[in-house]
Amino acid sequence: MTKRLLSLSCIVVILSAFFVQAETKLPPILGSHMVLQQGEKCPIWGWDDSDKQVTVEFAGQKHTAKVGDDGRWEVHLDSMKANAKGQTLTIRGSSKIELTDVLVGEVWLCSGQSNMEWRVRQSANPQEEIANAKHPLIRHIKIPHRPSDKQEKDVTPQRGGWEVASPNTVANFTAVGYYFARQLKGELDVPIGLLGSNWGGTRIEPWTPPVGFKSVPALKTIAENLKDYPKKDNNGKVHHQSALALYNGMISPLKPYGIRGAIWYQGESNNGEGMLYYEKKKALVNGWRKVWKNKKLPFYFVQLAPFKYGNRNPHDLAGIWQAQLSALEIPHTGMAVTTDIGNTRDIHPKNKQEVGRRLALWALAKNYGKKDIVYSGPLFKSFKKKNQSIIVQFNHDKGLKSSN
């Protein structure tokens, strides 16, 4: 009798374990309070037991998918118009999941190094800005620092997931991203979602996907040796500054989440490379557009602000400025000029409000059909000598004047 009871107990334990495993799972990038991209088919995906049927319901839509042999499923919501009223997204598979307060609007990826990661509480007028941050239609999710030697499918966000902009939360938002979103929200009156995937001090190479390196002949040395990246130390730890490391760990888990475009503030860690940085910027943009399957994905970036780099060659900054200027040759890009709002003694200028606003002007003019907007600062066009003078011409010169 004792042996029979033990056998029955073992069966119960095995069956219990089986049923516990039968669970529908979502990537944490999909969560309550998120913003879905309007105007396109939005992917909703996750994992479950193979051969299961998973049904997704949202905003009057109902879509069903069969789980593949790899345990993954994916559906695409039909294109929707912006909706500021929070709705519930329901997923039914082996288990039921409900995501609440889901909005539909505009979603932007906010990436780069410290000047993008710089938080609202570290920027100009923090107390006033935090106190006035009553913008429930602006949402932000922060991706943790995580290098990886493989393309990750999942990532656990900081602070529990999507956060609604309020005096209790906004202090830790990316400042540039938040002020970008605030400007868009004021002009468009739609929800704005921000994917904050950034890391201070990082180079551009770790953010770039393999397909990006392969698309640029000047980066042949990396492209032909991708199997050797990212580099690891003797203990097997992934070097976070190595090619592919942050794409694998911090960008790959976000795809195929629907986004309108990307804003980028980076370059300090590649300063000194001159026009090679232009080639690397092409690789990054080409790569992100390829993995998001959008050849026209908007990519707006920030010009490095003036800064006295100590013993560095003073020509280095001019060199990377030229590389950034040349990056405007890449279609569907734009650059926020910052030479007039930097601080030569602070590599992290506090005026992130104006940086975010200037990035938003590019998006408003190029993506949202806003007319009569001066969306770019003055950009050098040409010069000519006349007697003892040099006459310089600029594009986007409306309102151009000396700062002193």
Side-chain angles (χ1 to χ4, degrees), residues 107-110 180 184 193-195 260-263 298 300 363 367-368:
V107 183
W108 288 82
L109 172 62
C110 309
F180 170 82
L184 291 186
L194 303 172
L195 309 182
R260 173 64 67 200
I263 55 174
Y300 302 130
N367 303 112
Y368 300 116

Side-chain angles (χ1 to χ4, degrees), residues 34-234:
M34 67 180 173
V35 180
L36 298 176
Q37 178 59 48
Q38 69 168 329
E40 64 178 48
K41 291 182 176 294
C42 287
I44 304 294
W45 73 99
W47 300 271
D48 208 328
D49 288 353
S50 58
D51 290 328
K52 282 279 187 181
Q53 293 282 341
V54 176
T55 300
V56 177
E57 296 182 67
F58 181 71
Q61 300 184 38
K62 187 175 182 179
H63 301 271
T64 300
K66 185 178 180 181
V67 181
D69 293 338
D70 60 353
R72 189 179 184 279
W73 56 267
E74 181 175 327
V75 304
H76 289 81
L77 299 175
D78 296 334
S79 175
M80 298 172 284
K81 293 182 179 180
N83 191 334
K85 182 179 179 181
Q87 301 176 79
T88 299
L89 190 150
T90 304
I91 302 99
R92 291 184 177 87
S94 295
S95 57
K96 179 181 177 181
I97 300 173
E98 288 188 340
L99 307 181
T100 59
D101 188 32
V102 177
L103 308 182
V104 181
E106 292 295 306
V107 183
W108 288 82
L109 172 62
C110 309
S111 193
Q113 58 181 111
S114 55
N115 270 307
M116 182 61 79
E117 189 170 32
W118 212 247
R119 291 164 286 190
V120 170
R121 63 182 173 85
Q122 297 169 295
S123 305
N125 304 318
Q127 293 182 339
E128 180 181 353
E129 294 289 7
I130 292 169
N132 292 327
K134 299 169 185 176
H135 297 286
L137 298 188
I138 296 176
R139 311 289 174 86
H140 175 262
I141 186 170
K142 178 67 166 99
I143 306 305
H145 298 169
R146 184 181 66 164
S148 179
D149 60 354
K150 64 181 184 300
Q151 293 188 28
E152 300 288 351
K153 299 178 181 179
D154 207 352
V155 63
T156 301
Q158 292 182 358
R159 297 187 290 276
W162 285 91
E163 294 181 294
V164 179
S166 74
N168 294 324
T169 62
V170 80
N172 290 314
F173 284 21
T174 157
V176 169
Y178 170 66
Y179 296 125
F180 170 82
R182 191 172 69 180
Q183 184 72 20
L184 291 186
K185 166 64 180 61
E187 294 283 345
L188 304 176
D189 196 28
V190 300
I192 308 293
L194 303 172
L195 309 182
S197 186
N198 34 65
W199 189 341
T202 51
R203 297 174 61 82
I204 193 172
E205 297 92 327
W207 296 102
T208 305
V211 68
F213 288 115
K214 294 176 182 178
S215 72
V216 179
L219 303 179
K220 180 180 178 180
T221 302
I222 298 177
E224 291 184 346
N225 296 281
L226 288 172
K227 66 181 186 302
D228 298 327
Y229 294 98
K231 301 292 187 181
K232 300 179 182 179
D233 64 19
N234 293 334

